[in-house]
């Protein structure tokens, strides 16, 4: 398994896309099935944004000051996703807004992922190189087991708050 931070983040993105497609197929499924699937989406996003907020973004921000605006925009995109995840986490899957809110979450995350993969990641890879990206990736791997899994976890709340007040 690669320890390259960008490879690891792209693997997360791939898993999220898979979950998003599953939700697209399950929009008319029973509420319990949709709830379970959205729970998986929320968990994947909570872990992913935590690792980016706590490891990747601060490191890139420190090493590559020219990417400051990109990082600040990414923090704000995470903030929107965090709010939607928290609302969905607390919402009953039979609520009339549940599917619509999930769709908006998916659209926002896909936009964010596209920007990262097409614009941000190439700049980071060119500037940092393999060994620095592997070191960042190793720190992400080390923190993943203890990363929050729900938006109500105190670590998730603190990370989200710190990201938008940094």
């Amino acid at each position: 398994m690669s320890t390259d931070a960008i490879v690891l983040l792209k693997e997360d993105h791939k898993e999220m896309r898979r979950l998003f497609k599953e939700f697209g197929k399950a929009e008319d499924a029973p509420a319990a099935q949709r709830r379970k699937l959205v729970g998986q989406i929320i968990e994947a996003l909570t872990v992913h944004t935590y690792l980016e907020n706590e490891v990747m973004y601060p490191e890139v921000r420190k090493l590559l000051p020219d990417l400051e605006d990109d990082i600040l925009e990414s923090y704000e995109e995470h903030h929107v996703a965090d709010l939607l995840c928290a609302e969905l986490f607390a919402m009953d899957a039979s609520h009339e807004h549940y599917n619509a809110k999930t769709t908006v979450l998916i659209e926002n995350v896909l936009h964010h992922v596209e920007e990262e993969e097409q614009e941000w990641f190439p700049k980071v890879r060119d500037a940092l190189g393999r060994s620095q990206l592997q070191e960042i990736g190793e720190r992400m791997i080390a923190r993943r087991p203890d990363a929050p899994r729900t938006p109500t976890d105190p670590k998730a709340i603190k990370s989200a708050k710190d990201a938008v007040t940094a």
Side-chain angles (χ1 to χ4, degrees):
M1 182 170 109
S2 175
T3 61
D4 180 296
I6 291 174
V7 172
L8 295 171
L9 294 174
K10 282 184 170 184
E11 287 173 4
D12 284 355
H13 292 169
K14 184 177 178 182
E15 174 62 9
M16 282 184 257
R17 285 185 184 106
R18 185 191 69 73
L19 290 169
F20 296 165
K21 282 183 185 174
E22 294 258 336
F23 181 79
K25 294 175 191 172
E27 284 189 59
D28 295 326
Q33 183 180 343
R34 287 182 289 120
R35 178 75 188 145
K36 182 179 178 186
L37 189 52
V38 171
Q40 292 171 333
I41 290 169
I42 290 170
E43 180 176 342
L45 285 171
T46 301
V47 171
H48 180 80
T49 58
Y50 178 81
L51 293 173
E52 283 188 329
N53 287 352
E54 295 295 311
V55 181
M56 184 69 166
Y57 291 174
E59 191 66 20
V60 171
R61 192 175 188 189
K62 179 177 73 177
L63 296 171
L64 304 172
D66 288 350
L67 296 182
E68 177 82 7
D69 289 343
D70 293 318
I71 294 166
L72 293 175
E73 182 179 333
S74 291
Y75 278 138
E76 293 302 326
E77 289 171 345
H78 280 191
H79 179 65
V80 171
D82 291 341
L83 292 172
L84 291 168
C85 283
E87 291 173 2
L88 284 164
F89 187 76
M91 185 181 275
D92 190 280
S94 63
H95 192 285
E96 69 178 346
H97 288 267
Y98 194 80
N99 282 7
K101 192 173 294 289
T102 303
T103 299
V104 169
L105 172 66
I106 290 168
E107 289 170 352
N108 277 281
V109 170
L110 288 173
H111 167 80
H112 173 74
V113 164
E114 193 69 23
E115 280 187 344
E116 277 190 342
E117 291 186 358
Q118 300 303 315
E119 299 169 27
W120 200 71
F121 286 170
K123 293 176 190 174
V124 172
R125 181 167 302 289
D126 288 345
L128 294 186
R130 187 177 199 168
S131 64
Q132 282 181 304
L133 287 169
Q134 287 176 331
E135 188 272 324
I136 295 167
E138 287 167 6
R139 288 191 315 189
M140 288 170 43
I141 290 168
R143 292 196 65 175
R144 186 176 288 272
D146 294 323
R149 301 291 192 262
T150 66
T152 57
D153 183 303
K155 287 191 286 189
I157 294 168
K158 181 181 182 327
S159 177
K161 180 183 164 288
D162 291 349
V164 294
T165 60

